[in-house]
Amino acid sequence: MRKNRPFVYVLILIIIIITTGCIGGYDPISRGINRGISRAIGEHAENEAYKRTAPKEKLPPPRSANWGNFMAMQAQIVFTYAFSAGGLWLGQVEYMPGDWAKFSIITDGNNTVELERAYLKVDEDGNSWWRIGWVDGEDIWIYETLISSEGSLLRLRAKDAEGNEGEIPVAGQQIYFPPQEVTNESIEGATQGKASLSTQAGVFNCDHVVFLAVYGQGQVEWWITKDVPGGVAQYQIVDQGNVLWKSTVIAKGKNATTILGSF
């Protein structure tokens, strides 16, 4: 493993401005991530989570308790990237089984990573399988997680940047927090008009929505549309005229399935 991965520096920046956790609250068609404000756990806790997960020299040995703890805490941060910005998530379009969307994330330091979120399936009990993929240069991190219809984490599987993979025990870790709802009236009040957004995934006719960041700094801007799984084509955090972080859809599709043999 390379030392001092760019992945680490991207984490430092966004942990400062994004609240932790937000993929809970699912019904079988992902009600939780499609609307809501993620619940903050505090900047101190976020920084402590980063300290425990930042790769320094090498990953813990695979199939060890340390590896599982490391990957669980890393998941907490990656899930934050996947489903919130400035404490908000405004997408009002439900993911359907097989839907996936991939985003390019750019920070003000011109670091670029790719993030994929995919809704894999609903099992016979109404629980939902999701995959979150994180690509930073040659490093690829993959998580597949089973979420109950009530928003509880049931299973978590992971594959690290060195290709090690395994089942992570779910035993009360605070890997994500169920979101709170944003009212339709609030979204309507923050909508500044229509905007045509050109992306690698196509051109989308969007509602441009602007909120003051609830738990971070500056403001959070959204371009929401019914034509992207999850309902969001782009979102960014802006402070004093500077774009600190921008996430833009670059691909989407309807054929997602497990790649870690989770089911």
Side-chain angles (χ1 to χ4, degrees), residues 59-210:
L59 285 162
R63 295 179 296 278
S64 70
N66 287 338
W67 185 88
N69 290 334
F70 179 97
M71 294 301 288
M73 294 304 299
Q74 194 101 300
Q76 181 185 49
I77 297 170
V78 172
F79 289 172
T80 299
Y81 285 97
F83 299 117
S84 77
L88 305 174
W89 184 259
L90 303 187
Q92 296 178 301
V93 178
E94 298 168 336
Y95 271 80
M96 299 301 292
D99 282 354
W100 60 269
K102 184 179 292 185
F103 292 81
S104 174
I105 299 175
I106 302 174
T107 73
D108 65 347
N110 291 320
N111 296 306
T112 302
V113 296
E114 292 184 3
L115 181 146
E116 180 195 41
R117 60 173 178 258
Y119 186 33
L120 304 181
K121 67 172 291 186
V122 183
D123 70 14
E124 59 185 10
D125 297 318
N127 306 314
S128 302
W129 274 105
W130 288 82
R131 183 177 71 238
I132 307 298
W134 180 273
V135 180
D136 183 4
E138 297 178 357
D139 294 344
I140 302 175
W141 306 74
I142 299 172
Y143 290 91
E144 293 186 355
T145 183
L146 181 66
I147 306 295
S148 75
S149 57
E150 291 80 25
S152 299
L153 186 72
L154 300 177
R155 285 183 63 187
L156 181 64
R157 294 183 56 78
K159 183 175 182 179
D160 67 28
E162 294 183 348
N164 304 306
E165 65 179 87
E167 187 92 16
I168 297 172
V170 175
Q173 304 99 319
Q174 293 183 320
I175 295 173
Y176 72 94
F177 294 82
Q180 301 175 34
E181 292 190 357
V182 178
T183 67
N184 291 331
E185 290 82 359
S186 181
I187 295 174
E188 291 172 3
T191 300
Q192 297 191 350
K194 295 287 186 179
S196 179
L197 182 69
S198 181
T199 76
Q200 294 182 37
V203 178
F204 302 101
N205 184 31
C206 302
D207 289 330
H208 184 203
V209 182
V210 180

